[in-house]
Amino acid sequence: MDWFTRLFSSCGFQPHGFCYNWNSGLVWLHVVSDVLIAVAYFAIPVILVWFLRQRRDVPFGWILTLFGIFIVACGATHVMEIWNLWHAQYWLAGMFKAVTALASVGTAIVLVILAPRLLKVPNLRDWAAANAALELRVESRATELRAAYESLRHSRDTLALAQRAGRMGSWDRDLATGRSTWTTELEEVFGVQPGTYNDTSQMWPNLVHPDDLPRVDQAIAESLKDASDFSSEFRIIRPDGKQRWISARGTVIRDASGLPNRMVGTNIDITDQKLAEEQIRLLNTSLESRVAERTRDLSNANGELESFSYSVSHDLRAPLRTIDGFSLALLEDCGETLNEVGKSHLLRIRTATQRMGSLIDDLLNLSRVTRAQITIETFDLSSVVASVAAELQAVQPDRQVAWNIQPSVLATGDSRLLRVAIENLLNNAWKFTSRRPSASISFGTNGDNGAPVFFVKDDGAGFDPAYAERLFGAFQRLHATTEFPGTGVGLATVQRVVHRHGGRIWAESSLGQGATFFFTLPQNGLKKGTTQ
């Protein structure tokens, strides 16, 4: 109590006014000055508090609060100066000064500690530079966004043109509300006025063909149930009464939690495709009818060919045998009474009938090759060539022929028909090397882009390459019968066999330099063990 009494009492001290001799001018000079200083000191903290409340983002705002405390304490000391002009309460004034000292020292210590951190705070120049850089970035970003927007608008316009050209449009369905949004292009496909589609009305059921509506709604419901893709084709009836075909495709979009919330897709007008499919179906039906009719015609033609072959084989052979037989009997019985001219005529008759018989045989062979059923298998073609070569050598054992047969050459095809082809090719080589005292006949294979090419080569008379295309025609000959006998049907038979296997045949030669016949047997469409 004594301390508080002393704190608020004069304790016998004289007020400052006595020091100024109560000079009114001097007293009021100090009073006015201290009042102004105190008012300023008290106003500054108020402004700082208001500023901090307005700018809560200012860094180190609490330092301003500390400054406010220090300034208020300083203002209080000046108030005490005014009070002590008339009152000598110097202990109370000293306490205010002590508080001011503590606030001052504390503020100074804090400033010393925080000075390095305060130096790192950007100054106005840095803020201006940063703000300028930010403005440049904002402008650059704005330019990019404008360019992206223009690109997006161009893409949107292009997509709209493509959809309009392709008679297609897009739709977007909100699964929460059940509302659908259609693009203008889709409304055009359905014949709806732009902006008038409203799925809360009966527009959708009225647009879809009544026979297809249950199926379409069921497909949509299943897609929504399983959150799977949607696909359907259905008919629509446009408001103008025209019927069109639509192909609809859709997919379910999920939200961040994985739950389906939207369904988007496209509808395409496929009426032209459906009309084309219907035309193709009608054409196929017509084609099947024509194929059946053609098959019957071919069957009838084959029957007639069989009858013709039978007639050639039996009806024509009988008169030829009669002509040849009686010509031989006439030569034997009446040869002494005939002159040389008569005998020559009879010999020509016999030669012609025998040639006619050979032609009939070759024609029958060609007919059989054309009509024979093909059985596909893989076999050793080299052994077939060796067998035919042995048969030819056995007929004329005195011929000097060097056979060069590549071993183990495999072929896939009909072994019976290919033997006929080999027989004709080797007979051809045997015949056209007959005038050479020592001949050479070769067989083998080489590659042609990975596919085997078979060949039969001889060193016989050869032929003019200008007439190579005539070789494989029936009755086409490049040599006189007096020079080399034959009917001109053998190579035609070989060509028929190769063509029936899907291959090709060609020849290379020059006069007096021999000939080489090449042929292929492609495997496309041919399977072992099958018949055709």
Side-chain angles (χ1 to χ4, degrees):
M1 292 299 294
D2 292 339
W3 183 83
F4 279 102
T5 301
R6 186 172 50 186
L7 181 64
F8 291 100
S9 65
S10 298
C11 299
F13 296 112
Q14 296 294 326
H16 279 170
F18 287 101
C19 297
Y20 302 151
N21 294 322
W22 296 107
N23 185 298
S24 61
L26 183 61
V27 169
W28 286 109
L29 174 65
H30 282 272
V31 169
V32 172
S33 297
D34 285 327
V35 167
L36 293 177
I37 293 173
V39 170
Y41 278 170
F42 291 148
I44 289 174
V46 174
I47 296 173
L48 290 178
V49 171
W50 174 84
F51 176 77
L52 289 176
R53 291 179 62 86
Q54 298 298 320
R55 292 292 305 273
R56 298 181 183 274
D57 59 327
V58 174
F60 305 104
W62 59 273
I63 295 179
L64 297 180
T65 303
L66 188 62
F67 268 106
I69 296 173
F70 161 66
I71 293 172
V72 168
C74 290
T77 59
H78 284 276
V79 171
M80 289 304 302
E81 286 294 324
I82 297 172
W83 178 262
N84 284 332
L85 278 172
W86 291 277
H87 307 280
Q89 294 179 355
Y90 296 124
W91 283 103
L92 181 60
M95 291 298 299
F96 276 101
K97 288 186 178 181
V99 171
T100 302
L102 291 176
S104 301
V105 172
T107 302
I109 293 173
V110 170
L111 285 176
V112 170
I113 295 174
L114 292 182
R117 295 176 61 185
L118 290 173
L119 290 175
K120 293 181 180 180
V121 176
N123 55 31
L124 291 179
R125 184 179 302 171
D126 294 336
W127 282 112
N131 185 61
L134 180 60
E135 289 179 353
L136 290 176
R137 290 178 59 188
V138 169
E139 180 61 26
S140 175
R141 184 57 177 166
T143 303
E144 294 177 358
L145 290 176
R146 284 193 295 269
Y149 172 77
E150 289 298 323
S151 177
L152 179 62
R153 186 178 62 83
H154 178 72
S155 298
R156 182 189 60 196
D157 295 342
T158 303
L159 177 60
L161 289 174
Q163 289 185 340
R164 188 174 292 109
R167 288 185 293 185
M168 63 183 296
S170 304
W171 50 269
D172 189 335
R173 183 175 183 181
D174 189 328
L175 300 183
T177 62
R179 295 293 302 273
S180 297
T181 303
W182 284 15
T183 62
T184 304
E185 292 76 21
L186 184 58
E187 291 178 326
E188 291 178 359
V189 169
F190 278 76
V192 178
Q193 290 296 326
T196 61
Y197 178 76
N198 184 1
D199 56 3
T200 60
S201 65
Q202 289 297 312
M203 293 187 69
W204 172 253
N206 292 334
L207 289 172
V208 182
H209 195 285
D211 294 340
D212 298 344
L213 181 60
R215 175 169 51 83
V216 177
D217 289 343
Q218 178 65 25
I220 295 175
E222 291 178 357
S223 177
L224 294 176
K225 178 181 178 182
D226 303 332
S228 59
D229 290 344
F230 163 73
S231 175
S232 181
E233 292 183 357
F234 54 91
R235 294 165 293 174
I236 64 171
I237 302 177
R238 292 160 54 104
D240 57 8
K242 294 181 180 180
Q243 181 173 298
R244 310 290 291 180
W245 272 95
I246 298 296
S247 174
R249 299 289 186 274
T251 186
V252 175
I253 305 299
R254 300 174 182 271
D255 58 17
S257 61
L259 297 177
N261 63 345
R262 290 172 55 210
M263 190 176 188
V264 298
T266 58
N267 287 2
I268 307 174
D269 187 333
I270 58 170
T271 305
D272 292 343
Q273 175 185 333
K274 285 295 183 178
L275 292 176
E277 290 176 356
E278 179 63 19
Q279 291 178 355
I280 291 173
R281 187 188 66 80
L282 294 176
L283 288 175
N284 286 336
T285 302
S286 176
L287 180 61
E288 290 174 0
S289 176
R290 284 186 291 173
V291 167
E293 181 179 356
R294 183 60 176 165
T295 302
R296 289 193 298 270
D297 293 342
L298 289 175
S299 179
N300 294 334
N302 285 333
E304 293 175 0
L305 185 59
E306 292 285 350
S307 299
F308 172 75
S309 299
Y310 180 82
S311 298
V312 169
S313 178
H314 295 84
D315 299 344
L316 293 182
R317 283 181 181 277
L320 288 176
R321 284 194 299 268
T322 300
I323 295 171
D324 185 54
F326 278 99
S327 298
L328 178 60
L330 186 59
L331 281 173
E332 291 176 350
D333 296 342
C334 305
E336 295 178 357
T337 61
L338 295 173
N339 56 23
E340 293 301 322
V341 175
K343 291 180 180 180
S344 177
H345 290 339
L346 286 175
L347 288 175
R348 287 187 177 184
I349 291 173
R350 291 202 65 208
T351 300
T353 55
Q354 291 171 2
R355 178 172 172 76
M356 187 64 179
S358 297
L359 285 173
I360 292 173
D361 290 338
D362 289 343
L363 284 174
L364 289 174
N365 288 333
L366 182 60
S367 174
R368 282 193 291 268
V369 166
T370 303
R371 293 180 292 109
Q373 188 179 47
I374 294 181
T375 301
I376 305 302
E377 59 181 332
T378 299
F379 61 96
D380 189 346
L381 190 58
S382 296
S383 63
V384 174
V385 174
S387 174
V388 175
E391 293 175 0
L392 291 173
Q393 196 69 60
V395 174
Q396 292 180 281
D398 55 332
R399 287 276 308 271
Q400 298 296 319
V401 177
W403 295 93
N404 300 308
I405 303 174
Q406 181 179 335
S408 302
V409 175
L410 301 180
T412 300
D414 188 291
S415 59
R416 178 176 53 84
L417 290 180
L418 289 176
R419 182 181 179 87
V420 172
I422 292 297
E423 287 176 350
N424 281 279
L425 288 174
L426 293 184
N427 276 325
N428 192 70
W430 183 267
K431 176 172 61 177
F432 286 101
T433 57
S434 60
R435 295 191 177 186
R436 297 183 64 87
S438 178
S440 174
I441 301 176
S442 304
F443 166 79
T445 183
N446 53 43
D448 182 13
N449 295 328
V453 177
F454 307 92
F455 65 86
V456 173
K457 181 179 181 182
D458 65 70
D459 59 353
F463 58 87
D464 188 345
Y467 302 103
E469 294 299 326
R470 295 173 51 189
L471 285 173
F472 303 104
F475 309 115
Q476 296 291 326
R477 294 179 50 80
L478 302 183
H479 299 274
T481 56
T482 57
E483 187 179 5
F484 295 102
T487 61
V489 180
L491 291 179
T493 302
V494 176
Q495 187 186 56
R496 295 287 179 87
V497 171
V498 173
H499 284 182
R500 291 206 63 191
H501 283 78
R504 63 188 185 96
I505 184 169
W506 68 98
E508 297 176 358
S509 178
S510 59
L511 287 173
Q513 301 299 319
T516 304
F517 288 85
F518 301 91
F519 64 94
T520 62
L521 300 173
Q523 306 305 306
N524 295 337
L526 299 179
K527 297 182 180 179
K528 292 189 291 182
T530 62
T531 61
Q532 60 177 17

